[in-house]
Amino acid sequence: MSHFSTIKTHLKESEPLIKALNNLGYTINQEEKFIKGYKGRFTEVDISMNLPNETKAGFKWDSNTNAYELVTDLDLWKFDIPVERFISKITQMYAYQTIISKTKEDGYQIVEQKNKNDGSIELVLTKWDS
Amino acid sequence: MPQRTLRFKIYQDGKVEETVEGFTGNSCDEATKNLEEALGEVTVKNKTSDAFVSKQNENFKLTNNESNVSF
């Protein structure tokens, strides 16, 4: 029996999220816990980042969506990639980190990894079961 | 000792396509349950049970039919 699934990734766990941010080269700021967000209001975040061009952003756990949500002041967004693209990049890397760590726990090994022209990442993992 | 294979395609927006091969019975669901939960929300799930076997049978039947026609 085999199956084929499509999964919509949500930023549900902090560990792969932090790994994803590090992997993409975004610096985590341990000291700053308040980020100017919607309507310039300061919001307490769980993960705070220093982005290029003095752009501030963070992630706050949202118990309604059961996921981390981005907090930033869009008026002050000076980072050279649009915020939507920024979220996409993080979500893709989060999915990658989650897959790598969960399959490793289960004893799988990576046999193939390709970065495709369309920007997607292809991964093949195998395990011989006794 | 069958080989278990997991294939993933992670799109730029974070959407993940997952193909799980080489499991017997419903154990393929168990194999990726934790991972799917950690990733997010499964939007499409298709059992591709015996897809390979039935394809082979089809080819076999086709060959048979062909040979019947030629007789």
Side-chain angles (χ1 to χ4, degrees):
Chain A
M1 184 87 74
S2 303
H3 72 240
F4 172 80
S5 302
T6 305
I7 305 150
K8 189 175 187 297
T9 304
H10 297 297
L11 308 173
K12 291 167 85 172
E13 291 179 14
S14 63
E15 199 188 310
L17 177 56
I18 289 169
K19 274 188 189 167
L21 296 170
N22 286 334
N23 206 294
L24 290 165
Y26 303 136
T27 324
I28 305 218
N29 185 336
Q30 304 284 4
E31 266 109 68
E32 200 158 2
K33 287 292 171 199
F34 287 89
I35 294 287
K36 225 181 201 184
Y38 182 63
K39 286 188 175 169
R41 279 189 210 127
F42 277 94
T43 307
E44 190 171 7
V45 294
D46 299 291
I47 300 163
S48 172
M49 291 168 284
N50 291 336
L51 298 176
N53 302 332
E54 292 182 22
T55 300
K56 301 275 185 199
F59 282 96
K60 184 183 169 59
W61 177 256
D62 184 337
S63 51
N64 293 318
T65 58
N66 266 329
Y68 286 94
E69 305 287 343
L70 185 75
V71 176
T72 191
D73 188 342
L74 287 178
D75 292 336
L76 297 175
W77 186 267
K78 294 189 181 75
F79 191 18
D80 53 3
I81 59 170
V83 68
E84 295 79 12
R85 180 77 201 100
F86 175 73
I87 296 172
S88 292
K89 274 175 78 158
I90 291 169
T91 312
Q92 184 188 34
M93 191 50 75
Y94 174 92
Y96 174 82
Q97 295 293 346
T98 303
I99 290 169
I100 295 290
S101 74
K102 296 283 173 194
T103 54
K104 198 178 172 189
E105 280 171 24
D106 289 340
Y108 286 90
Q109 287 187 320
I110 303 172
V111 289
E112 206 179 298
Q113 179 174 329
K114 280 185 198 157
N115 293 314
K116 307 295 281 186
N117 286 338
D118 64 359
S120 67
I121 304 166
E122 282 186 1
L123 268 177
V124 183
L125 300 110
T126 58
K127 159 167 102 162
W128 292 91
D129 246 17
S130 47
Chain B
M1 272 211 334
Q3 188 187 21
R4 323 292 199 197
T5 304
L6 309 177
R7 292 175 200 279
F8 298 95
K9 189 172 172 78
I10 312 166
Y11 286 90
Q12 271 193 314
D13 63 354
K15 187 184 85 175
V16 176
E17 283 177 0
E18 167 200 78
T19 312
V20 179
E21 297 162 3
F23 288 83
T24 48
N26 283 323
S27 59
C28 67
D29 288 336
E30 284 300 315
T32 51
K33 204 175 140 215
N34 287 341
L35 174 63
E36 286 166 4
E37 275 171 12
L39 276 177
E41 177 195 344
V42 176
T43 51
V44 184
K45 189 156 193 167
N46 289 312
K47 290 273 180 194
T48 52
S49 72
D50 311 315
F52 180 65
V53 178
S54 61
K55 220 176 194 175
Q56 273 196 325
N57 284 346
E58 242 170 50
N59 289 343
F60 180 68
K61 275 180 208 152
L62 210 71
T63 332
N64 266 357
N65 287 343
E66 277 168 2
S67 61
N68 283 343
V69 172
S70 65
F71 267 114

